[in-house]
Amino acid sequence: MDSRERSHFLDPEDWRILITLAAYRLVLVALLAVVHGFKLVPYFFDHADPGQFFAIVLVYTLPAVALLAAALTRQPALSTQAHFSFVIDTLAIVSMMYAANGVSSGLGMLLITPAVGCSLVLPPRLGLLHAALGTFAVFGAELWRQSQQQFETADITNAGLIGLMLFATSLGAGAVAQRARRSEALAARFGSDLASLSRLNERIVESMDTPVLVIDEERRLRVQNAAGRRLLASPALDGRPLASALPTLNGALEQWQEAPNRSPQPISLSIGGPELLPRFTRLGFNAWAPVLVLLDDAARVREQAQQLKLAALGRLSAGIAHEIRNPLSAIRHAGQLLAESPDLPAEDQRLLEMIQRHSTRIDKIVEDVLRLSRREAAVPRTLPLRAFLQRCIAVWSEGCPDGARTVTVEGVSEALTVRFDPDQLQQVLHNLWQNSFDHGAADGRAVTVRLSAGRMNPGHRPYLDISDDGSGIPAQVSEQLFEPFFTTASRGTGLGLYLSREICEYNQARLMHLPSETGTRFRLIFAG
């Protein structure tokens, strides 16, 4: 690790070590002064010179205070202070040891603390240098003392033990410091990577077109990205309980918590608002962890699914056209030839009519599937709705005998405009009107289709209601209306409403069935 890394990551901790060492030095000076003040020096240290001992303590006090001030102000550099403090401690402790009759006083052990402290803040080789200096100082003082007195082998041995302890503690402290530095550098690197990754994730989430929300452990709403803020369009919702702010989303969250593997169902956060497909992910392993919510546009998801369906239907339709239409044409042609026979019995004629009728129905199913699979891309245009409806009714009336199928326009403003592909909108309307007259008049009554329009509130999206006064739709089948191949009529294909809804979604519109006291009512909500 270079000096810049150590300065950036470890300087605060290193300075705290030097400050602690300086405080220890002052406490040591104070304790030694107390020992001298209470005249306890002869009791702790045999053959010590109290006057000389106290003089050394007084001299030691001045650099001890200066070293504390230098550590607090961080001037000069850390390594300079570490070297200088060890030299001061060595000179003072060795001098006191000499005044207290050498190694036998035990004062040489006080060198271990500054040796450990300096080894923690300096590279290992400098820590060993300090240990060597301390060892030479202890040996030098002891040899000098014994040169003036009787030579004692035991004290030389004790000096050697002190030297070994200085080397051992310096090596241990240096190893710990090195490991700590590597660990802190690694942690700092990982922390930097995580911080960068977190900022990257925040930018990605913020730039997403999909609204992203976070619901905290107290079920309160937290808006996370710009799309979410645009969707909610109310800063006052942030921090409010989800149950009161967005009850439909709260209900979807409760259903997900009860059955996390269940496929999400589309919801709308407001009346007339866009359909959204919520996806929930728990941000943690606990049941009370926050929940991340992605609100996908249900129309977009359906459109993507539709593209896959259309691709599959395209391949299927080619097979249908070849495998069904060719033998079906042969069956119908054979039936027509049989019908021309003058000797055909009445019973066989009835069976032949059944063959022709069901052949025609199969051909209609094939045609609907082919029309669905080869539908061209929508080209939405801005249409004045009232004028367009009148043209659509005129085209419809041309194919109705004696105007027996009446369609009226009620309460549609001249200024109201919508965006839709005109050919596809006409196809949807004709499908709905055909259903009204075919199914609503099943009991022989005369049916009238009424068209009314306006704007949704809130949202201001234009809508068109298609209602009739026919026999209505039974409640038990209303949920299956838009399923493909579902029909209650013996001659129907079950693809009309399904095809109409697919066309509407292709134009970013919604087709829905609304409950009605009399007859049938559909609502077509156009794109805003």
Side-chain angles (χ1 to χ4, degrees):
M1 181 186 305
D2 60 25
S3 58
R4 288 179 299 175
E5 289 178 323
R6 291 192 62 251
S7 174
H8 179 73
F9 294 117
L10 294 177
D11 271 359
E13 185 63 31
D14 290 352
W15 283 112
R16 281 193 289 270
I17 292 174
L18 280 190
I19 292 172
T20 302
L21 188 58
Y24 158 80
R25 191 178 294 113
L26 285 178
V27 171
L28 177 62
V29 168
L31 289 175
L32 293 176
V34 169
V35 169
H36 178 271
F38 284 94
K39 302 184 183 303
L40 299 175
V41 173
Y43 294 97
F44 285 96
F45 312 110
D46 295 337
H47 310 293
D49 185 348
Q52 186 182 11
F53 186 86
F54 183 64
I56 297 172
V57 171
L58 286 180
V59 174
Y60 190 27
T61 303
L62 296 177
V65 174
L67 287 171
L68 177 61
L72 291 173
T73 58
R74 300 190 179 185
Q75 292 294 335
L78 185 141
S79 59
T80 301
Q81 289 197 36
H83 293 311
F84 188 69
S85 65
F86 186 79
V87 171
I88 293 296
D89 290 334
T90 301
L91 291 176
I93 293 173
V94 168
S95 298
M96 287 187 289
M97 183 185 69
Y98 181 83
N101 200 30
V103 175
S104 59
S105 65
L107 289 172
M109 300 295 293
L110 297 177
L111 278 175
I112 292 177
T113 300
V116 170
C118 292
S119 296
L120 290 175
V121 300
L122 294 174
R125 63 182 181 277
L126 294 180
L128 292 177
L129 176 61
H130 285 177
L133 291 176
T135 302
F136 284 133
V138 171
F139 268 106
E142 185 60 26
L143 290 174
W144 176 258
R145 184 189 66 82
Q146 292 196 23
S147 67
Q148 299 175 352
Q149 300 177 11
Q150 183 180 359
F151 184 80
E152 296 180 5
T153 306
D155 289 341
I156 297 298
T157 302
N158 290 335
L161 290 176
I162 293 176
L164 288 175
M165 294 180 67
L166 286 175
F167 275 99
T169 53
S170 296
L171 282 172
V176 171
Q178 284 292 96
R179 181 181 294 271
R181 290 182 185 116
R182 286 195 295 267
S183 298
E184 290 193 23
L186 186 61
R189 191 178 303 115
F190 283 148
S192 177
D193 293 343
L194 288 175
S196 300
L197 183 60
S198 177
R199 288 193 296 270
L200 177 62
N201 289 337
E202 289 176 1
R203 291 183 181 180
I204 292 174
V205 170
E206 188 67 20
S207 62
M208 287 174 61
D209 293 332
T210 301
V212 179
L213 311 178
V214 172
I215 301 170
D216 63 19
E217 63 277 5
E218 297 180 355
R219 283 282 187 92
R220 293 185 180 275
L221 180 65
R222 304 296 180 197
V223 181
Q224 289 298 303
N225 67 345
R229 290 188 289 273
R230 288 195 301 269
L231 175 67
L232 300 183
S234 176
L237 295 179
D238 194 14
R240 285 182 52 188
L242 189 65
S244 60
L246 299 171
T248 53
L249 183 59
N250 185 64
L253 175 59
E254 291 178 349
Q255 293 178 1
W256 172 76
Q257 289 176 333
E258 294 175 358
N261 296 325
R262 183 188 303 171
S263 299
Q265 299 299 317
I267 63 172
S268 181
L269 300 182
S270 60
I271 300 177
E275 275 193 320
L276 302 170
L277 201 64
R279 289 185 292 153
F280 302 98
T281 303
R282 195 175 299 282
L283 301 177
F285 300 100
N286 299 321
W288 56 85
V291 176
L292 178 71
V293 185
L294 300 178
L295 297 174
D296 293 319
D297 187 345
R300 186 191 306 173
V301 173
R302 281 196 290 263
E303 182 178 350
Q304 293 172 350
Q306 180 188 27
Q307 298 302 323
L308 297 176
K309 288 189 291 184
L310 289 178
L313 279 174
R315 294 190 295 269
L316 176 64
S317 61
I320 290 176
H322 178 71
E323 299 295 337
I324 296 181
R325 273 197 157 175
N326 289 340
L328 184 61
S329 297
I331 293 173
R332 294 184 65 184
H333 183 65
Q336 291 171 356
L337 293 176
L338 284 175
E340 295 175 358
S341 174
D343 301 326
L344 193 66
E347 181 66 20
D348 292 342
Q349 183 69 35
R350 187 181 66 80
L351 295 175
L352 184 61
E353 290 175 357
M354 184 182 300
I355 292 173
Q356 294 289 70
R357 184 170 65 253
H358 286 285
S359 297
T360 302
R361 183 183 178 189
I362 293 173
D363 188 63
K364 180 65 167 56
I365 292 175
V366 172
E367 180 61 33
D368 284 343
V369 171
L370 289 173
R371 183 151 37 97
L372 178 64
S373 64
R374 65 173 176 248
R375 185 173 71 247
E376 297 180 356
V379 184
R381 290 166 43 192
T382 300
L383 307 172
L385 186 58
R386 185 177 181 87
F388 177 82
L389 292 177
Q390 289 172 343
R391 290 196 303 270
C392 217
I393 292 173
V395 173
W396 168 263
S397 299
E398 291 176 358
C400 298
D402 303 325
R405 297 184 170 186
T406 306
V407 180
T408 62
V409 179
E410 303 175 357
V412 179
S413 171
E414 295 281 357
L416 185 62
T417 61
V418 299
R419 283 194 59 78
F420 212 103
D421 185 297
D423 294 334
Q424 294 182 359
L425 180 56
Q426 177 174 296
Q427 182 181 353
V428 170
L429 293 176
H430 284 185
N431 279 346
L432 295 175
W433 298 347
Q434 186 70 43
N435 280 347
S436 293
F437 292 116
D438 287 349
H439 299 282
D443 54 0
R445 70 173 72 186
V447 175
T448 298
V449 174
R450 294 181 298 275
L451 307 177
S452 58
R455 288 189 177 275
M456 303 289 294
N457 188 18
H460 305 293
R461 296 178 64 179
Y463 70 88
L464 173 65
D465 281 353
I466 304 98
S467 55
D468 62 52
D469 54 1
S471 56
I473 297 175
Q476 60 269 23
V477 301
S478 60
E479 295 183 358
Q480 300 174 273
L481 286 177
F482 296 103
E483 293 182 5
F485 301 106
F486 174 78
T487 180
T488 57
S490 58
R491 294 181 299 173
T493 65
L495 286 171
L497 286 178
Y498 172 75
L499 179 63
S500 298
R501 188 184 66 175
E502 293 290 309
I503 292 174
C504 290
E505 291 180 353
Y506 211 52
N507 287 267
Q508 286 77 52
R510 291 171 58 191
L511 179 63
M512 61 179 65
H513 172 254
L514 300 179
S516 178
E517 295 182 0
T518 59
T520 304
R521 181 184 177 193
F522 288 92
R523 170 166 291 183
L524 175 55
I525 303 175
F526 297 92

